[in-house]
């Protein structure tokens, strides 16, 4: 067994059979919220943090999930168990549910809960060793007062527009700025720079998704002797950083060695990144909710 999909309480092992209605407002409008979560060696990494963020996103979009956090966690455990995968990626999606063709959420009586358990590789393995070449994108990150980036919603067009630029430019990733020209994040990952043993990442109010991997890195950084700051970053700071890297549940920690044609540091993957990655990997071994009991 490999892929397993839970849809409103039912499990499917064939991708072709895992289907939702075209009248679901998740499909019609991107009206829903989601999480991307990792399972390492049978442990759901940062499970509570992901569940909490899902329920916070849902609350902000006025979506009543109609399942408790405990029930949702159990459904996730059951789906991972049914997949038989000990190392996996979980995509947890709660959409508004089936309604009519208008925007009125009140016609959607029951949210659709989908849990996909599968394998994932986001970037080719050599990018983790050699680092990413990134560009800054012309597409600005959503203004938080229009669509708050802290809501992990099913509407990713802002990010996809930036990703299209990245692909068309032949780069590996894109760095999105906010309307004031400050760095926010990559298209689906948070960003960090290191300068003189200080680790810096933008604060939530600059318009970012407050990543769970980002927090894990902030937590382990002091053990590496780093001073930690959440502060504004300009592209100048990326160009002139000692090191730069991205974080996300799917990507984990991935180094950036070039930005807009400028080498970051000496253009090689740096020692601080390597040390942080080592500590992060250690954390994934003992920080999670256990799926398999035997
Ligand atoms: N920013 C965006 C826009 C994302 O979609 C993600 C998740 N892929 C992240 C940052 C990283 O968040 P996390 O570490 O919680 O996966």
């Amino acid at each position: 067994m490999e892929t397993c999909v839970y849809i409103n309480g039912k499990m499917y092992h064939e991708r072709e059979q895992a289907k939702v209605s075209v009248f679901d407002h998740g499909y019609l409008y991107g009206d829903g919220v989601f999480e991307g979560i990792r399972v390492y060696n049978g442990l759901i990494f940062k499970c509570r943090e992901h569940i909490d963020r899902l329920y916070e996103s849902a609350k902000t979009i006025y979506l009543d999930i109609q399942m408790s956090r405990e029930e949702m966690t159990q459904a996730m455990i059951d789906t991972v168990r049914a997949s038989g995968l000990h190392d996996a990626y979980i995509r947890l999606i709660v959409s508004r549910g089936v309604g009519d063709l208008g925007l009125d959420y009140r016609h959607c009586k029951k949210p659709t809960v989908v849990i996909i358990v599968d394998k994932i590789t986001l970037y080719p393995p050599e990018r983790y060793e050699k680092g990413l070449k990134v560009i800054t994108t012309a597409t600005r990150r959503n203004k938080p007062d229009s669509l708050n980036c802290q809501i992990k919603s099913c509407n990713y067009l802002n990010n996809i527009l930036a990703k299209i630029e990245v692909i068309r430019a032949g780069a590996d990733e894109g760095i999105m700025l906010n309307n004031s020209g400050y760095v926010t994040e990559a298209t689906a990952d948070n960003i960090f720079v290191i300068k003189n043993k200080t680790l810096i990442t933008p604060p939530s109010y600059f318009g970012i998704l407050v990543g769970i991997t980002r927090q894990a890195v902030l937590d382990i950084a002091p053990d590496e002797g780093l001073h930690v700051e959440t502060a504004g970053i300009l592209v100048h700071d990326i160009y002139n950083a000692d090191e730069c890297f991205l974080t996300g549940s799917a990507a984990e920690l991935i180094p950036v060695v070039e930005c807009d044609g400028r080498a970051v540091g000496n253009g090689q993957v740096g020692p601080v990144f390597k040390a942080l990655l080592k500590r992060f990997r250690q954390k994934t071994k003992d920080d999670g909710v256990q799926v398999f009991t035997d």
Side-chain angles (χ1 to χ4, degrees):
M1 261 178 272
E2 289 227 324
T3 310
C4 188
V5 183
Y6 165 110
I7 306 175
N8 286 341
K10 288 206 180 109
M11 300 281 187
Y12 301 86
H13 289 282
E14 303 298 327
R15 281 165 179 253
E16 297 71 32
Q17 277 159 15
K19 291 177 181 158
V20 294
S21 166
V22 293
F23 291 97
D24 194 301
H25 280 206
Y27 180 74
L28 288 173
Y29 298 116
D31 183 357
V33 293
F34 78 100
E35 283 296 320
I37 308 163
R38 288 294 277 254
V39 181
Y40 293 103
N41 197 20
L43 295 176
I44 303 177
F45 186 56
K46 301 282 178 191
C47 185
R48 187 182 47 78
E49 287 82 349
H50 283 283
I51 292 284
D52 285 349
R53 187 171 65 184
L54 181 83
Y55 279 74
E56 286 179 13
S57 294
K59 184 171 190 178
T60 301
I61 72 160
Y62 211 77
L63 172 63
D64 177 6
I65 293 180
Q66 299 180 21
M67 272 171 89
S68 68
R69 290 174 196 223
E70 292 70 31
E71 287 167 336
M72 188 63 83
T73 306
Q74 192 57 51
M76 230 165 37
I77 292 170
D78 293 345
T79 316
V80 177
R81 204 175 281 157
S83 78
L85 291 172
H86 286 245
D87 290 283
Y89 178 77
I90 306 171
R91 175 59 58 88
L92 171 55
I93 308 144
V94 184
S95 65
R96 189 76 64 179
V98 173
D100 59 24
L101 292 176
L103 293 181
D104 192 340
Y105 64 91
R106 292 170 302 181
H107 298 301
C108 308
K109 301 290 181 212
K110 196 175 177 308
T112 306
V113 178
V114 172
I115 304 168
I116 305 170
V117 177
D118 209 341
K119 291 196 163 154
I120 191 170
T121 31
L122 204 68
Y123 296 103
E126 78 268 10
R127 292 289 187 278
Y128 287 90
E129 273 136 45
K130 298 226 168 83
L132 298 175
K133 296 182 177 177
V134 305
I135 56 164
T136 48
T137 65
T139 305
R140 297 283 166 131
R141 193 73 175 101
N142 281 329
K143 275 184 82 178
D145 54 355
S146 301
L147 180 57
N148 193 333
C149 307
Q150 291 193 55
I151 306 165
K152 196 163 168 61
S153 90
C154 294
N155 194 320
Y156 255 50
L157 260 187
N158 180 225
N159 315 64
I160 291 165
L161 287 174
K163 190 77 180 184
I164 289 168
E165 285 184 51
V166 169
I167 293 164
R168 294 197 58 78
D172 296 320
E173 246 309 326
I175 306 302
M176 301 179 77
L177 311 180
N178 67 16
N179 277 299
S180 307
Y182 281 97
V183 170
T184 60
E185 56 185 335
T187 62
D189 292 305
N190 293 114
I191 186 165
F192 286 84
V193 293
I194 300 161
K195 181 87 171 174
N196 299 330
K197 285 265 167 197
T198 300
L199 181 73
I200 315 167
T201 194
S204 62
Y205 54 83
F206 274 53
I208 63 164
L209 179 80
V210 182
I212 288 162
T213 322
R214 170 184 177 274
Q215 188 56 49
V217 168
L218 290 172
D219 292 343
I220 57 180
D223 299 335
E224 212 40 62
L226 294 168
H227 174 67
V228 172
E229 267 181 29
T230 48
I233 301 173
L234 294 163
V235 277
H236 171 86
D237 301 314
I238 301 180
Y239 299 158
N240 293 290
D242 297 334
E243 297 184 36
C244 175
F245 63 95
L246 310 180
T247 65
S249 299
E252 305 179 298
L253 276 61
I254 187 154
V256 171
V257 292
E258 187 185 301
C259 182
D260 296 333
R262 282 87 158 169
V264 174
N266 62 2
Q268 309 279 318
V269 178
V272 180
F273 172 81
K274 286 183 188 161
L276 285 172
L277 180 61
K278 200 166 164 210
R279 276 190 196 272
F280 176 79
R281 291 220 184 286
Q282 195 55 41
K283 260 248 166 298
T284 63
K285 292 200 178 115
D286 54 24
D287 188 333
V289 166
Q290 198 157 357
V291 174
F292 301 94
T293 39
D294 43 358

